[in-house]
Amino acid sequence: MNEFIVPFNQPYLAGSEMDYLQQALEAPLSVGGASFAFRCAAKLKLVTQAHSVLLTHSCTNALELAAMLANIQPGDEVIIPSFTFTSTANAFVLRGARIVFVDIRPDTLNMNEDAIEAAITPKTRVIIPVHYAGIACNMDRIMAIAAEHKLLVVEDAAQSVGATYNGRPLGTLGHLGTYSFHATKNLSCGEGGALLVNDKTLLERAEILHDKGTNRAQFRAGNVRQYEWVDVGMSAPPSELQAACLLAQLERLGLITQQRVALWQHYDYLLGPLSTSGKLRVLLPPSECNHNGHIFAVIFNTSEQRDKAQQALAKEGIQAALHYQPLHLSPEGRRVGTARGSMVESESLPSRLLRLPIWPGMPASTCERVVEILRATLD
Ligand SMILES: Cc1ncc(COP(=O)(O)O)c(C=O)c1O
């Protein structure tokens, strides 16, 4: 049982999950029947306007598929921000890549696009922008750099379903994009994910890698009489049970996003005076970004202030969470990666960052109580 009265996150329940699960359980568990998975992929494709969507059992799994599709060879270099989850790096390390860490921007905590060019070498193959908190990286600039150096861009949009950049859904701007439907995300089916294939030249192989190295997608489309083993691959599709839960949530994506963004804006408004007086900072989404209210992060001036605020909230039964520690300083990050350029922001911001509770259905009065407590700790 959660010891907190206000948890940091509360997975959303649309209400139709049980009905869909029942339908999934009653359907014959036939090969290729996958109707909920099919409906989820079709719905995501419609919502995002992605060229193609392949559902996976996690975002980690979608990133692993992306690494295989990028044809990563031992020694190839992949550029990522240091402030991210392990999977961004790990998926590529599994294929022998060296990870090149670059610093983040202080306003969004996203990969600093000004640091990318200096990190490129003849071995660089892929850039992975991670859209922290559903706020987009500078994708125009990143795509221009990638085009100039002939690099693949894989958007780690784990946190970004429902968010846009210049009106375009995150995950659809790079050659490939990945979503997470883990229990902590805006849409959740416990564990789940998707690979968005935006470069259509990658689709045929993506479908093969996704389905155990077989050309079953071609078989389903009626293009071959029998499917066979044509390449290496993994078993990436989710179960019908996962897809049944996901569909229920996907049908409510607009509502979930709207409720989260409303709470995000309320926090932003309430924290305005503390922010103006320089007592703390909040993330500043650039004008071209419509975020999805996934995270409300506060950055204190010192880690002591952050810890004091977290403890004061906990004392009142309110859970607030820390986030990633810089990967370039982690034991595995040091083994498989190199930091290029100054890492001053990546090394300083995580120890001062606190994520406040935010979830659909959370009363607006909770934001008010949280801000009141923060204010008291900073007096
Ligand atoms: C930026 C980022 N990438 C990838 C992942 C991995 O997602 P999943 O748990 O669906 O594998 C996460 C998980 O939190 C994440 O934050």
Side-chain angles (χ1 to χ4, degrees):
M1 215 177 90
N2 199 325
E3 67 198 278
F4 293 100
I5 302 161
V6 178
F8 164 67
N9 177 53
Q10 184 101 291
Y12 180 79
L13 278 181
S16 39
E17 285 88 350
M18 289 307 275
D19 181 29
Y20 287 178
L21 278 168
Q22 180 90 28
Q23 288 179 39
L25 284 168
E26 284 170 2
L29 293 173
S30 60
V31 177
S35 72
F36 279 103
F38 178 82
R39 284 162 71 188
C40 281
K43 179 98 186 150
L44 258 181
K45 188 167 141 85
L46 187 75
V47 168
T48 60
Q49 294 293 305
H51 178 267
S52 315
V53 174
L54 298 176
L55 287 192
T56 58
H57 46 76
S58 64
C59 180
T60 301
N61 185 217
L63 287 162
E64 287 163 0
L65 276 173
M68 288 177 91
L69 268 173
N71 215 6
I72 292 293
Q73 301 299 316
D76 286 348
E77 291 181 357
V78 173
I79 300 177
I80 74 168
S82 174
F83 183 67
T84 183
F85 191 63
T86 58
S87 298
T88 318
N90 204 58
F92 288 79
V93 171
L94 281 171
R95 312 233 67 82
R98 283 288 302 166
I99 302 299
V100 174
F101 298 107
V102 293
D103 208 2
I104 49 170
R105 290 167 45 150
D107 56 347
T108 57
L109 312 191
N110 279 335
M111 167 183 261
N112 186 340
E113 61 278 8
D114 290 336
I116 297 173
E117 286 208 277
I120 295 174
T121 73
K123 290 183 174 172
T124 309
R125 301 289 314 285
V126 181
I127 305 175
I128 312 183
V130 178
H131 307 300
Y132 186 70
I135 298 173
C137 296
N138 184 337
M139 287 305 291
D140 284 347
R141 182 83 190 285
I142 292 171
M143 292 310 288
I145 295 170
E148 196 185 324
H149 295 271
K150 300 193 170 36
L151 304 174
L152 195 78
V153 175
V154 178
E155 291 175 78
D156 183 337
Q159 307 176 358
S160 303
V161 69
T164 62
Y165 175 80
N166 284 326
R168 292 173 62 196
L170 301 192
T172 66
L173 297 132
H175 303 98
L176 297 165
T178 61
Y179 283 155
S180 172
F181 306 122
H182 182 262
T184 52
K185 301 303 187 294
N186 288 21
L187 296 183
S188 153
C189 56
E191 295 278 2
L195 178 71
L196 278 58
V197 184
N198 307 313
D199 176 343
K200 57 178 188 284
T201 65
L202 297 173
L203 180 61
E204 190 176 336
R205 184 148 193 258
E207 287 177 333
I208 292 168
L209 299 180
H210 181 252
D211 206 350
K212 304 148 194 94
T214 71
N215 57 351
R216 185 150 45 181
Q218 291 295 318
F219 169 69
R220 284 208 188 102
N223 298 335
V224 292
R225 198 155 157 252
Q226 224 176 344
Y227 68 83
E228 58 184 342
W229 186 26
V230 293
D231 200 338
V232 291
M234 49 175 69
S235 183
S239 76
E240 275 294 273
L241 301 183
Q242 283 168 290
C245 289
L246 183 61
L247 184 65
Q249 308 236 333
L250 252 174
E251 290 173 346
R252 297 288 183 89
L253 177 61
L255 187 78
I256 293 170
T257 310
Q258 203 181 23
Q259 290 192 16
R260 283 182 162 272
V261 170
L263 290 166
W264 196 101
Q265 286 171 343
H266 198 44
Y267 270 135
D268 195 45
Y269 167 74
L270 295 166
L271 286 165
L274 286 176
S275 188
T276 312
S277 62
K279 291 199 166 164
L280 49 71
R281 279 201 307 109
V282 298
L283 299 190
L284 293 174
S287 59
E288 59 275 19
C289 303
N290 271 347
H291 65 81
N292 58 1
H294 177 57
I295 288 173
F296 195 95
V298 174
I299 298 154
F300 293 85
N301 292 333
T302 66
S303 54
E304 290 76 21
Q305 284 177 343
R306 188 272 307 266
D307 294 344
K308 194 173 156 201
Q310 189 187 28
Q311 283 154 18
L313 289 167
K315 222 169 132 210
E316 298 295 321
I318 300 171
Q319 187 178 31
L322 314 185
H323 215 179
Y324 318 126
Q325 293 307 294
L327 288 185
H328 73 285
L329 299 180
S330 66
E332 185 62 7
R334 287 178 197 270
R335 271 189 289 273
V336 300
T338 323
R340 291 226 174 99
S342 159
M343 300 301 281
V344 65
E345 306 295 352
S346 306
E347 288 175 15
S348 147
L349 289 164
S351 65
R352 295 186 281 126
L353 180 143
L354 191 64
R355 289 178 296 160
L356 305 181
I358 188 165
W359 33 270
M362 188 180 92
S365 58
T366 301
C367 300
E368 288 147 27
R369 182 73 190 119
V370 166
V371 173
E372 201 181 305
I373 296 167
L374 295 187
R375 201 181 294 119
T377 69
L378 289 167
D379 275 346

Coordinates of all heavy atoms in Angstrom, one line a residue, residues 52-135:
S52 N 4.1 4.5 -40.3 CA 3.7 3.2 -39.8 C 4.0 3.1 -38.3 O 4.9 3.8 -37.8 CB 4.5 2.1 -40.4 OG 4.6 2.3 -41.8
V53 N 3.2 2.3 -37.6 CA 3.4 2.1 -36.2 C 3.5 0.6 -35.9 O 2.6 -0.2 -36.3 CB 2.1 2.6 -35.4 CG1 2.2 2.3 -33.9 CG2 2.0 4.1 -35.6
L54 N 4.5 0.2 -35.2 CA 4.7 -1.2 -34.8 C 4.6 -1.2 -33.2 O 5.5 -0.6 -32.6 CB 6.0 -1.8 -35.2 CG 6.2 -1.8 -36.7 CD1 7.7 -2.4 -37.0 CD2 5.2 -2.7 -37.4
L55 N 3.6 -1.9 -32.7 CA 3.5 -1.9 -31.2 C 4.6 -2.9 -30.7 O 4.9 -3.9 -31.3 CB 2.2 -2.5 -30.8 CG 0.9 -1.6 -30.9 CD1 -0.2 -2.2 -30.2 CD2 1.2 -0.2 -30.4
T56 N 5.1 -2.5 -29.5 CA 6.1 -3.3 -28.9 C 5.8 -3.6 -27.4 O 4.8 -3.0 -26.9 CB 7.5 -2.6 -28.9 OG1 7.4 -1.4 -28.3 CG2 8.0 -2.4 -30.3
H57 N 6.5 -4.4 -26.7 CA 6.2 -4.6 -25.3 C 6.8 -3.6 -24.4 O 6.6 -3.7 -23.2 CB 6.3 -6.1 -24.9 CG 7.6 -6.7 -25.3 ND1 8.8 -6.4 -24.6 CD2 8.0 -7.5 -26.3 CE1 9.8 -7.0 -25.2 NE2 9.3 -7.7 -26.2
S58 N 7.6 -2.7 -24.9 CA 8.1 -1.6 -24.1 C 8.8 -0.6 -25.0 O 9.1 -0.9 -26.2 CB 9.1 -2.1 -23.0 OG 10.3 -2.6 -23.7
C59 N 9.1 0.6 -24.5 CA 9.9 1.6 -25.3 C 11.3 1.1 -25.4 O 11.9 1.3 -26.4 CB 9.8 2.9 -24.6 SG 10.7 4.2 -25.4
T60 N 11.8 0.4 -24.4 CA 13.1 -0.2 -24.4 C 13.2 -1.1 -25.6 O 14.2 -1.0 -26.4 CB 13.4 -1.0 -23.1 OG1 13.3 -0.1 -22.0 CG2 14.7 -1.7 -23.1
N61 N 12.2 -1.9 -25.8 CA 12.2 -2.9 -26.9 C 12.1 -2.1 -28.2 O 12.8 -2.5 -29.2 CB 10.9 -3.7 -26.7 CG 10.8 -4.9 -27.7 OD1 9.7 -5.2 -28.1 ND2 11.9 -5.5 -28.1
A62 N 11.4 -1.0 -28.3 CA 11.3 -0.2 -29.5 C 12.7 0.4 -29.9 O 13.1 0.4 -31.0 CB 10.2 0.9 -29.4
L63 N 13.4 0.8 -28.8 CA 14.7 1.4 -29.0 C 15.7 0.3 -29.5 O 16.6 0.5 -30.3 CB 15.3 2.0 -27.7 CG 14.6 3.3 -27.3 CD1 14.8 3.6 -25.9 CD2 15.1 4.5 -28.2
E64 N 15.5 -1.0 -28.9 CA 16.4 -2.1 -29.4 C 16.1 -2.4 -30.9 O 17.1 -2.7 -31.6 CB 16.1 -3.3 -28.5 CG 16.7 -3.2 -27.1 CD 16.1 -4.2 -26.1 OE1 15.2 -5.0 -26.5 OE2 16.5 -4.1 -24.9
L65 N 14.9 -2.3 -31.3 CA 14.5 -2.5 -32.7 C 15.2 -1.4 -33.5 O 15.7 -1.7 -34.6 CB 13.0 -2.4 -32.9 CG 12.2 -3.7 -32.7 CD1 10.7 -3.4 -32.8 CD2 12.6 -4.8 -33.7
A66 N 15.1 -0.2 -33.0 CA 15.7 1.0 -33.7 C 17.2 0.7 -33.9 O 17.8 1.0 -35.0 CB 15.5 2.2 -33.0
A67 N 17.9 0.2 -32.9 CA 19.3 0.0 -33.0 C 19.7 -1.1 -34.0 O 20.6 -1.0 -34.7 CB 19.9 -0.5 -31.6
M68 N 18.8 -2.1 -34.1 CA 19.0 -3.2 -35.1 C 18.8 -2.6 -36.5 O 19.5 -2.9 -37.4 CB 18.0 -4.3 -34.9 CG 18.4 -5.2 -33.7 SD 17.2 -6.5 -33.4 CE 17.9 -7.8 -34.3
L69 N 17.7 -1.8 -36.6 CA 17.4 -1.2 -37.9 C 18.5 -0.2 -38.4 O 18.8 -0.1 -39.6 CB 16.1 -0.3 -37.8 CG 14.8 -1.1 -38.1 CD1 13.7 -0.2 -37.8 CD2 14.8 -1.4 -39.6
A70 N 19.2 0.4 -37.4 CA 20.3 1.3 -37.7 C 21.5 0.6 -38.1 O 22.5 1.1 -38.6 CB 20.6 2.2 -36.5
N71 N 21.4 -0.8 -38.0 CA 22.5 -1.7 -38.4 C 23.8 -1.3 -37.6 O 24.9 -1.2 -38.2 CB 22.7 -1.6 -39.9 CG 23.1 -2.9 -40.4 OD1 23.2 -3.9 -39.7 ND2 23.5 -3.0 -41.7
I72 N 23.7 -1.0 -36.4 CA 24.8 -0.6 -35.5 C 25.9 -1.7 -35.5 O 25.5 -2.9 -35.3 CB 24.3 -0.3 -34.1 CG1 23.5 1.0 -34.1 CG2 25.5 -0.2 -33.1 CD1 24.2 2.3 -34.5
Q73 N 27.1 -1.4 -35.7 CA 28.2 -2.3 -35.7 C 29.1 -1.9 -34.5 O 29.2 -0.8 -34.1 CB 29.0 -2.3 -37.0 CG 28.2 -2.6 -38.2 CD 27.7 -4.0 -38.2 OE1 28.4 -4.9 -37.8 NE2 26.4 -4.1 -38.5
P74 N 29.9 -2.9 -33.9 CA 30.8 -2.6 -32.8 C 31.7 -1.4 -33.1 O 32.2 -1.3 -34.2 CB 31.6 -3.8 -32.6 CG 30.7 -4.9 -33.1 CD 29.9 -4.3 -34.3
G75 N 31.7 -0.4 -32.2 CA 32.5 0.8 -32.4 C 31.8 2.0 -33.0 O 32.3 3.1 -32.9
D76 N 30.6 1.7 -33.6 CA 29.8 2.9 -34.1 C 29.4 3.8 -32.9 O 29.2 3.3 -31.8 CB 28.5 2.4 -34.7 CG 28.8 1.8 -36.1 OD1 29.9 1.9 -36.6 OD2 27.8 1.1 -36.6
E77 N 29.3 5.1 -33.2 CA 29.0 6.0 -32.1 C 27.6 6.5 -32.2 O 27.1 6.8 -33.3 CB 30.0 7.2 -32.1 CG 31.4 6.7 -31.7 CD 32.4 7.9 -31.7 OE1 32.0 9.0 -32.1 OE2 33.6 7.6 -31.4
V78 N 27.0 6.7 -31.1 CA 25.6 7.2 -31.0 C 25.6 8.3 -30.0 O 26.1 8.2 -28.9 CB 24.7 6.0 -30.4 CG1 23.3 6.5 -30.2 CG2 24.7 4.9 -31.4
I79 N 25.0 9.5 -30.4 CA 25.0 10.7 -29.6 C 23.7 10.8 -28.8 O 22.6 10.8 -29.4 CB 25.2 11.9 -30.4 CG1 26.6 11.8 -31.2 CG2 25.2 13.2 -29.6 CD1 26.9 13.0 -32.1
I80 N 23.8 10.9 -27.5 CA 22.6 11.0 -26.7 C 22.8 12.0 -25.6 O 24.0 12.3 -25.2 CB 22.2 9.6 -26.0 CG1 23.1 9.2 -24.9 CG2 22.1 8.5 -27.1 CD1 22.5 8.1 -24.1
P81 N 21.8 12.6 -25.0 CA 22.0 13.4 -23.8 C 22.3 12.5 -22.6 O 21.9 11.4 -22.5 CB 20.6 14.1 -23.6 CG 19.6 13.1 -24.2 CD 20.3 12.4 -25.3
S82 N 23.1 13.1 -21.7 CA 23.5 12.3 -20.5 C 22.3 12.2 -19.6 O 22.2 11.2 -18.8 CB 24.7 13.0 -19.8 OG 24.9 12.3 -18.6
F83 N 21.4 13.2 -19.6 CA 20.3 13.2 -18.7 C 19.1 12.4 -19.4 O 18.3 13.0 -20.1 CB 19.9 14.6 -18.4 CG 18.7 14.8 -17.5 CD1 18.8 14.4 -16.1 CD2 17.5 15.3 -17.9 CE1 17.8 14.6 -15.2 CE2 16.4 15.5 -17.0 CZ 16.6 15.1 -15.7
T84 N 19.1 11.1 -19.2 CA 18.1 10.3 -19.8 C 18.0 8.9 -19.1 O 18.9 8.7 -18.2 CB 18.2 10.1 -21.3 OG1 17.1 9.3 -21.8 CG2 19.5 9.3 -21.7
F85 N 17.1 8.1 -19.5 CA 16.9 6.8 -18.9 C 18.0 5.8 -19.5 O 18.4 6.0 -20.6 CB 15.5 6.3 -19.1 CG 15.1 5.0 -18.4 CD1 15.1 5.0 -17.0 CD2 14.8 3.9 -19.1 CE1 14.7 3.9 -16.3 CE2 14.5 2.7 -18.4 CZ 14.4 2.8 -17.0
T86 N 18.3 4.8 -18.8 CA 19.4 3.9 -19.3 C 19.0 3.3 -20.6 O 20.0 3.0 -21.4 CB 19.5 2.7 -18.3 OG1 18.3 2.0 -18.1 CG2 19.9 3.2 -16.9
S87 N 17.7 3.0 -20.9 CA 17.4 2.3 -22.1 C 17.8 3.1 -23.4 O 18.1 2.4 -24.4 CB 15.9 2.1 -22.2 OG 15.5 1.3 -21.1
T88 N 17.9 4.4 -23.4 CA 18.3 5.2 -24.5 C 19.7 4.7 -25.0 O 19.9 4.5 -26.2 CB 18.3 6.7 -24.2 OG1 17.2 7.0 -23.4 CG2 18.4 7.5 -25.4
A89 N 20.5 4.5 -24.0 CA 21.9 4.1 -24.3 C 22.0 2.5 -24.5 O 22.6 2.0 -25.4 CB 22.8 4.5 -23.2
N90 N 21.4 1.8 -23.5 CA 21.5 0.4 -23.4 C 21.1 -0.3 -24.7 O 21.8 -1.3 -25.1 CB 20.6 -0.1 -22.3 CG 21.1 -1.4 -21.7 OD1 22.2 -1.5 -21.2 ND2 20.2 -2.4 -21.7
A91 N 20.1 0.1 -25.3 CA 19.6 -0.6 -26.6 C 20.7 -0.6 -27.6 O 20.8 -1.5 -28.4 CB 18.3 0.2 -27.1
F92 N 21.5 0.5 -27.7 CA 22.5 0.6 -28.7 C 23.8 -0.1 -28.2 O 24.5 -0.6 -29.1 CB 22.7 2.1 -29.0 CG 21.5 2.6 -29.8 CD1 20.4 3.0 -29.2 CD2 21.6 2.7 -31.2 CE1 19.3 3.4 -29.9 CE2 20.5 3.1 -32.0 CZ 19.3 3.5 -31.3
V93 N 24.0 -0.1 -26.9 CA 25.2 -0.7 -26.4 C 25.1 -2.2 -26.6 O 26.1 -2.9 -26.9 CB 25.4 -0.4 -24.9 CG1 26.5 -1.3 -24.2 CG2 25.7 1.0 -24.7
L94 N 23.9 -2.8 -26.6 CA 23.7 -4.2 -26.8 C 24.2 -4.6 -28.2 O 24.5 -5.8 -28.5 CB 22.2 -4.5 -26.7 CG 21.6 -4.7 -25.3 CD1 20.1 -4.8 -25.3 CD2 22.3 -6.0 -24.6
R95 N 24.2 -3.7 -29.1 CA 24.7 -3.9 -30.5 C 26.1 -3.5 -30.7 O 26.6 -3.4 -31.8 CB 23.8 -3.3 -31.5 CG 22.3 -3.5 -31.3 CD 21.6 -4.0 -32.5 NE 21.9 -5.4 -32.8 CZ 21.5 -6.5 -32.2 NH1 20.6 -6.4 -31.2 NH2 21.9 -7.7 -32.6
G96 N 26.8 -3.1 -29.6 CA 28.2 -2.8 -29.7 C 28.6 -1.3 -29.8 O 29.7 -1.0 -30.1
A97 N 27.6 -0.4 -29.7 CA 27.8 1.0 -29.9 C 28.6 1.6 -28.8 O 28.6 1.1 -27.6 CB 26.5 1.7 -30.1
R98 N 29.4 2.6 -29.1 CA 30.0 3.5 -28.0 C 29.0 4.7 -27.9 O 28.5 5.2 -28.9 CB 31.3 4.1 -28.5 CG 32.5 3.3 -28.5 CD 33.1 2.9 -27.2 NE 33.5 4.0 -26.3 CZ 33.8 3.9 -25.0 NH1 33.7 2.7 -24.5 NH2 34.2 4.9 -24.3
I99 N 28.8 5.0 -26.7 CA 27.8 6.1 -26.4 C 28.6 7.4 -26.2 O 29.6 7.5 -25.5 CB 27.0 5.8 -25.2 CG1 26.2 4.5 -25.3 CG2 26.0 7.0 -24.9 CD1 25.2 4.4 -26.5
V100 N 28.2 8.4 -27.0 CA 28.8 9.8 -26.8 C 27.7 10.7 -26.1 O 26.6 10.9 -26.7 CB 29.2 10.3 -28.2 CG1 29.7 11.8 -28.1 CG2 30.2 9.5 -28.8
F101 N 28.0 11.1 -24.9 CA 27.1 11.9 -24.2 C 27.3 13.4 -24.4 O 28.5 13.8 -24.4 CB 27.3 11.7 -22.7 CG 27.0 10.2 -22.2 CD1 28.1 9.4 -21.9 CD2 25.7 9.7 -22.2 CE1 27.9 8.1 -21.5 CE2 25.5 8.4 -21.8 CZ 26.6 7.6 -21.4
V102 N 26.2 14.1 -24.6 CA 26.3 15.6 -24.7 C 25.5 16.2 -23.6 O 24.6 15.5 -23.0 CB 25.9 16.1 -26.1 CG1 26.9 15.7 -27.2 CG2 24.5 15.8 -26.5
D103 N 25.7 17.5 -23.4 CA 25.1 18.2 -22.3 C 23.6 18.5 -22.7 O 23.2 18.4 -23.9 CB 25.9 19.5 -22.0 CG 25.7 19.9 -20.5 OD1 25.0 19.1 -19.8 OD2 26.3 20.9 -20.1
I104 N 22.9 19.0 -21.7 CA 21.5 19.4 -21.9 C 21.4 20.9 -21.7 O 22.2 21.6 -21.2 CB 20.6 18.7 -20.8 CG1 21.2 18.9 -19.4 CG2 20.4 17.3 -21.2 CD1 20.2 18.5 -18.3
R105 N 20.2 21.4 -22.2 CA 19.9 22.8 -22.1 C 19.3 23.1 -20.7 O 18.5 22.3 -20.3 CB 18.8 23.2 -23.2 CG 19.3 23.2 -24.6 CD 18.2 23.3 -25.6 NE 17.1 24.3 -25.2 CZ 16.4 24.9 -26.1 NH1 16.6 24.6 -27.4 NH2 15.5 25.8 -25.8
P106 N 19.6 24.2 -20.1 CA 19.0 24.5 -18.8 C 17.6 24.8 -18.8 O 16.9 24.5 -17.8 CB 19.8 25.7 -18.3 CG 20.5 26.3 -19.5 CD 20.6 25.2 -20.5
D107 N 17.0 25.3 -19.9 CA 15.6 25.7 -19.9 C 14.6 24.5 -20.1 O 13.5 24.5 -19.5 CB 15.3 26.8 -21.0 CG 15.7 26.3 -22.4 OD1 16.5 25.3 -22.5 OD2 15.3 27.0 -23.4
T108 N 15.0 23.5 -20.9 CA 14.1 22.4 -21.1 C 14.7 21.0 -20.6 O 14.0 20.0 -20.6 CB 13.9 22.2 -22.6 OG1 15.2 22.0 -23.3 CG2 13.2 23.4 -23.3
L109 N 16.0 21.0 -20.3 CA 16.7 19.8 -19.9 C 16.8 18.8 -21.1 O 17.1 17.6 -20.9 CB 16.0 19.1 -18.7 CG 15.7 19.9 -17.5 CD1 15.3 19.0 -16.3 CD2 16.8 20.9 -17.1
N110 N 16.6 19.3 -22.3 CA 16.8 18.5 -23.5 C 18.2 18.6 -24.0 O 18.9 19.6 -23.7 CB 15.8 19.0 -24.6 CG 14.4 18.4 -24.3 OD1 14.2 17.4 -23.7 ND2 13.4 19.1 -24.9
M111 N 18.6 17.6 -24.8 CA 19.9 17.6 -25.5 C 20.2 19.0 -26.0 O 19.3 19.6 -26.7 CB 19.7 16.6 -26.7 CG 20.8 16.7 -27.7 SD 20.3 15.5 -29.0 CE 21.3 14.1 -28.5
N112 N 21.4 19.5 -25.8 CA 21.7 20.9 -26.3 C 22.2 20.7 -27.7 O 23.2 20.2 -28.0 CB 22.9 21.5 -25.4 CG 23.2 22.9 -25.8 OD1 22.8 23.3 -26.9 ND2 23.8 23.6 -24.9
E113 N 21.3 21.3 -28.6 CA 21.6 21.1 -30.0 C 22.9 21.8 -30.4 O 23.6 21.3 -31.4 CB 20.4 21.6 -30.9 CG 20.1 23.1 -30.7 CD 19.2 23.4 -29.5 OE1 19.0 22.5 -28.7 OE2 18.8 24.6 -29.4
D114 N 23.4 22.8 -29.7 CA 24.7 23.4 -30.0 C 25.9 22.5 -29.7 O 27.0 22.8 -30.1 CB 24.8 24.7 -29.2 CG 23.8 25.8 -29.6 OD1 23.4 25.7 -30.8 OD2 23.5 26.7 -28.9
A115 N 25.6 21.5 -28.9 CA 26.7 20.6 -28.5 C 26.9 19.4 -29.5 O 27.9 18.7 -29.4 CB 26.5 20.1 -27.1
I116 N 26.0 19.3 -30.4 CA 26.0 18.0 -31.2 C 27.1 18.0 -32.2 O 27.8 17.0 -32.3 CB 24.6 17.8 -31.9 CG1 23.5 17.7 -30.9 CG2 24.6 16.6 -32.9 CD1 22.1 17.6 -31.5
E117 N 27.3 19.1 -33.0 CA 28.3 19.0 -34.1 C 29.7 18.7 -33.6 O 30.4 17.9 -34.2 CB 28.2 20.3 -34.9 CG 26.9 20.3 -35.7 CD 27.0 21.1 -37.0 OE1 26.8 22.3 -36.9 OE2 27.2 20.5 -38.1
A118 N 30.0 19.3 -32.4 CA 31.4 19.0 -31.9 C 31.6 17.6 -31.5 O 32.7 17.1 -31.3 CB 31.7 20.0 -30.8
A119 N 30.4 16.9 -31.3 CA 30.5 15.5 -30.8 C 30.5 14.5 -32.0 O 30.7 13.3 -31.8 CB 29.3 15.2 -29.9
I120 N 30.3 15.0 -33.2 CA 30.3 14.1 -34.4 C 31.7 13.7 -34.8 O 32.6 14.6 -34.9 CB 29.5 14.7 -35.5 CG1 28.0 14.9 -35.1 CG2 29.6 13.9 -36.8 CD1 27.2 15.7 -36.1
T121 N 31.9 12.4 -35.1 CA 33.2 11.9 -35.7 C 32.8 11.1 -36.9 O 31.7 10.8 -37.1 CB 34.0 11.1 -34.6 OG1 33.3 9.8 -34.5 CG2 34.1 11.7 -33.3
P122 N 33.8 10.6 -37.6 CA 33.5 9.7 -38.7 C 32.8 8.4 -38.3 O 32.2 7.7 -39.1 CB 34.9 9.4 -39.3 CG 35.8 10.5 -38.9 CD 35.3 10.9 -37.6
K123 N 32.8 8.1 -37.0 CA 32.2 6.9 -36.5 C 30.7 7.1 -36.1 O 30.0 6.1 -35.8 CB 32.9 6.3 -35.3 CG 34.3 5.7 -35.7 CD 34.9 5.1 -34.4 CE 36.2 4.4 -34.7 NZ 36.9 4.0 -33.5
T124 N 30.3 8.3 -36.1 CA 28.9 8.6 -35.6 C 27.9 8.1 -36.6 O 28.0 8.3 -37.8 CB 28.7 10.2 -35.4 OG1 29.8 10.7 -34.7 CG2 27.4 10.5 -34.8
R125 N 26.9 7.4 -36.1 CA 25.8 6.9 -36.9 C 24.4 7.4 -36.6 O 23.6 7.5 -37.5 CB 25.8 5.3 -36.7 CG 27.1 4.6 -37.1 CD 27.3 4.6 -38.6 NE 26.1 4.3 -39.3 CZ 25.6 3.0 -39.4 NH1 26.2 2.0 -38.8 NH2 24.5 2.8 -40.0
V126 N 24.2 7.6 -35.3 CA 22.8 8.0 -34.9 C 22.8 9.1 -33.8 O 23.7 9.2 -33.0 CB 22.1 6.7 -34.2 CG1 20.7 7.0 -33.8 CG2 22.2 5.5 -35.1
I127 N 21.8 10.0 -33.9 CA 21.5 11.0 -32.9 C 20.2 10.6 -32.2 O 19.2 10.3 -32.9 CB 21.4 12.4 -33.4 CG1 22.7 12.8 -34.3 CG2 21.2 13.4 -32.3 CD1 22.5 14.1 -34.9
I128 N 20.2 10.6 -30.9 CA 18.9 10.3 -30.2 C 18.5 11.5 -29.4 O 18.9 11.6 -28.2 CB 19.0 9.0 -29.3 CG1 19.7 7.9 -30.1 CG2 17.6 8.6 -28.8 CD1 19.8 6.6 -29.3
P129 N 17.6 12.3 -29.9 CA 17.0 13.3 -29.0 C 16.0 12.7 -28.1 O 15.2 11.9 -28.5 CB 16.3 14.3 -30.0 CG 16.3 13.6 -31.3 CD 17.1 12.3 -31.3
V130 N 16.0 13.1 -26.8 CA 15.1 12.6 -25.8 C 14.2 13.8 -25.5 O 14.7 14.8 -25.0 CB 15.8 12.1 -24.6 CG1 14.8 11.6 -23.5 CG2 16.7 11.0 -24.9
H131 N 12.9 13.7 -25.7 CA 12.0 14.9 -25.4 C 11.6 14.8 -23.9 O 10.7 14.1 -23.6 CB 10.8 14.8 -26.3 CG 11.1 14.7 -27.7 ND1 11.8 15.7 -28.4 CD2 10.7 13.8 -28.7 CE1 11.9 15.3 -29.7 NE2 11.3 14.2 -29.9
Y132 N 12.4 15.5 -23.1 CA 12.1 15.3 -21.6 C 10.8 16.0 -21.3 O 10.5 17.1 -21.7 CB 13.3 16.0 -20.8 CG 13.1 15.8 -19.3 CD1 13.3 14.5 -18.8 CD2 12.7 16.8 -18.5 CE1 13.1 14.3 -17.4 CE2 12.5 16.6 -17.1 CZ 12.7 15.3 -16.6 OH 12.5 15.1 -15.3
A133 N 10.0 15.3 -20.5 CA 8.7 15.8 -20.0 C 7.7 16.1 -21.1 O 6.8 16.9 -21.0 CB 8.9 17.1 -19.2
G134 N 7.9 15.5 -22.3 CA 7.0 15.7 -23.4 C 7.3 17.1 -24.1 O 6.4 17.6 -24.8
I135 N 8.4 17.8 -23.7 CA 8.7 19.0 -24.4 C 9.8 18.7 -25.4 O 10.8 18.1 -25.1 CB 9.3 20.0 -23.3 CG1 8.2 20.3 -22.2 CG2 9.8 21.3 -24.0 CD1 8.7 21.2 -21.1

